[in-house]
Amino acid sequence: MLPSDHGRGGVRGAGALLTVDLDAIAANYRQLSARLGPSPECGAVVKADAYGLGLDPVARALWAAGCRSFFVALAEEGLRLRELLPDAAIHVFNGVETDTAAETAAAGLVPVLNHLGQLEAWAGEAQVRAATLPAMLHVDTGMARLGLSAAEVEALAGAPEQVAGLALDAVMSHLACADDRDNPLNVEQLARFKAVLKILAPLRARRASLANSSGIFLGAAFNFVLARTGAALYGINPETSHANPMTQTIKLQGKILQTRIIDTPSTVGYGATHRAERGQRIATLGVGYADGFLRSLSNSASAFIGGVRVPVVGRVSMDLITVDVTAVPAEATHPGALVDLIGTEHTADDLAREGGTIGYEILTALGRRFERRYQGGGAS
Ligand SMILES: *Cc1c(COP(=O)(O)O)cnc(C)c1O
């Protein structure tokens, strides 16, 4: 392993080591691209600091792997990405408002226009600049979150002059249940999306985009011309009820601060929710809910030392967790020893299940106080 310098380096006294394998992310990118086949483009979603893994190293690794289209949520994330990747196509999911239009245009970002107000703001900016500005148009087909409603789509199709000054790169929509292959909403949304594309034909959008990571696994009908893959790039299972075809990309290892042998039976942690018996050994690790190790993992998460399961016992505190290490030899539990919290054998999805959430939340919550190491990545 060759820890490289990019991204955050060491944190003095860090309670955990997070290792991100950039080659694994590149391999996942290539796998998803291959699944899409030669013609649809595979875009990468790097919002929320590349799902918590670190925007700078991850974006560079994806670019090196051949990715040319990127998606972020905020204009601010787009501006940061623009500094890293001067030639990338950068799309901003949350769109544009009058107060962000000028810098969005100056940085060459492509906003996703979610409602007619955003459309107006962006068309206004095009007018000010006497230029044609690129945009994506988002239509809602079953999320009721962002995007034009069916009525707004009709209205816009009847008045295409509203997009004068804009070059529509794509019309997009977002799937609600793509991780569940058999959910009937998938084909319903597909049908609605196709109908919308027909209605919006007068707007002459260059292409269409529907699939997120999971959408790619629903079959070619869902791919259209541009896919927007996030979670699967980072190793999260795109199909919740099938085996995970993606490569794991992170390893999280908590550091033991102290190990005690229980000499008098005692409760463990806040709320006294676990009882340790005489002779058991409890190791305390420097990871807590302030590091994204969710409090809902109290008394339920699994950790591992040398492949042996050592359960998290007691409540997760802000900076600490306690693990029952009775099953492993004392030599492996001295202060400074590492305990595997996330890895190939126990993935972010596994940890999420133990905490009653999804892998996405585990990744995006990953602590800023961890020591981070990046390996691979080609360029470095
Ligand atoms: C976050 C997001 C994606 C990526 O979804 P994954 O499930 O992580 O692949 C795609 N499209 C939109 C609109 C998103 O907000």
Side-chain angles (χ1 to χ4, degrees), residues 45 47 51 71 93 138 145 172-174 210-214 228-234 360:
V45 183
K47 61 194 180 190
Y51 288 46
F71 294 85
F93 281 139
H138 189 172
R145 209 173 57 163
M172 64 161 266
S173 193
H174 194 47
L210 182 62
N212 63 339
S213 298
S214 301
R228 311 181 305 269
T229 63
L233 290 174
Y234 311 116
Y360 293 68

